[in-house]
Amino acid sequence: MAAHMNRTETLDADRAIPDPPRVAWRKHMRQRVLDAARDLTCASGWDKVSLSAVAAAAEVSRPSVYKEFGNRAGLGRALVIRETHEFLHSVALTLYPGLPDPRASLETAVSFVLAEAHRNPLVRAVVVAAREGSDSLLPYLTARADPIFDAAQVLLRAWLTERFPERDEELVTLAADITVRMTISHLLLPGADPARTAGRISLAVLKVLS
């Protein structure tokens, strides 16, 4: 018992050790830069955001921004990854534990995505700009090889596997792929009724798995 308590106390002490000042400053700086980039993108669109403007808004030096993110594309990628991971966390909360009926549960999750994308200022800025034929942040939301697309698929595959344990893995992967692709396509080219869209996507996915 004493040995166990000592190990627990050691672990707790390790967790309480703060980051070295340089590491803490870098983490804080990174968040400030991403927050500034988000605010500027929501206000004017990513196409009008420069690293100089982001650095000034975050009150850090431009070389610091370059050192942390590499270039403007690296900053854009980091911004979308952070925002989308937070977004997917919210989606996961709608799937787990979810409704007893799989179709109703999936429909609720897709409805949430369509509605939240409209409410989320950064996602809305990206989508609106894409409909107008611009905005270089869009590829991070839609590229097949991108970790954002993959993260969404991982979330759906895990949920579908849990709800349909008897289904073949390849079939579950296909269903997850269809869900993500159809949902993204409706973000870019929305239908008249988001609720009906969510119902149709859910029906299509369940047909694949039936």
Side-chain angles (χ1 to χ4, degrees):
M1 177 69 74
H4 173 73
M5 290 179 64
N6 289 336
R7 287 196 298 270
T8 302
E9 290 171 357
T10 300
L11 289 173
D12 290 340
D14 289 341
R15 294 192 191 100
I17 296 176
D19 291 324
R22 186 173 183 83
V23 173
W25 178 87
R26 181 180 175 183
K27 288 182 178 179
H28 181 62
M29 181 273 293
R30 182 181 178 86
Q31 293 307 311
R32 285 171 58 186
V33 170
L34 289 173
D35 289 343
R38 185 184 193 279
D39 292 342
L40 291 172
T41 300
C42 293
S44 305
W46 176 252
D47 287 348
K48 296 181 181 179
V49 173
S50 68
L51 289 182
S52 296
V54 172
E59 299 182 334
V60 300
S61 68
R62 185 176 176 184
S64 294
V65 177
Y66 272 107
K67 184 176 181 180
E68 181 66 25
F69 298 98
N71 51 32
R72 185 171 176 274
L75 175 60
R77 182 182 180 84
L79 175 61
V80 172
I81 287 175
R82 185 187 75 164
E83 196 74 16
T84 307
H85 282 174
E86 293 177 0
F87 190 83
L88 289 178
H89 175 70
S90 297
V91 174
L93 294 178
T94 69
L95 289 171
Y96 296 97
L99 299 172
D101 177 46
R103 179 179 173 184
S105 188
L106 183 59
E107 187 173 335
T108 298
V110 174
S111 293
F112 171 82
V113 170
L114 297 176
E116 189 63 18
H118 178 73
R119 288 191 294 263
N120 184 300
L122 178 62
V123 177
R124 186 171 66 248
V126 173
V127 171
V128 169
R131 292 173 190 163
E132 296 173 353
S134 66
D135 205 302
S136 54
L137 284 179
L138 180 65
Y140 298 131
L141 292 177
T142 58
R144 176 62 187 89
D146 190 86
I148 297 305
F149 194 103
D150 289 345
Q153 285 214 350
V154 167
L155 172 62
L156 263 297
R157 280 202 306 270
W159 182 81
L160 289 169
T161 298
E162 183 176 305
R163 287 301 186 99
F164 301 92
E166 74 284 358
R167 297 296 187 269
D168 180 78
E169 181 180 349
E170 185 175 349
L171 200 59
V172 170
T173 299
L174 175 61
D177 185 78
I178 290 172
T179 305
V180 175
R181 289 182 184 278
M182 289 184 68
T183 302
I184 289 178
S185 71
H186 280 283
L187 288 178
L188 300 178
L189 296 171
D193 184 355
R196 184 182 180 192
T197 296
R200 294 176 67 183
I201 292 175
S202 302
L203 176 61
V205 173
L206 269 295
K207 286 288 186 181
V208 170
L209 290 170
S210 62

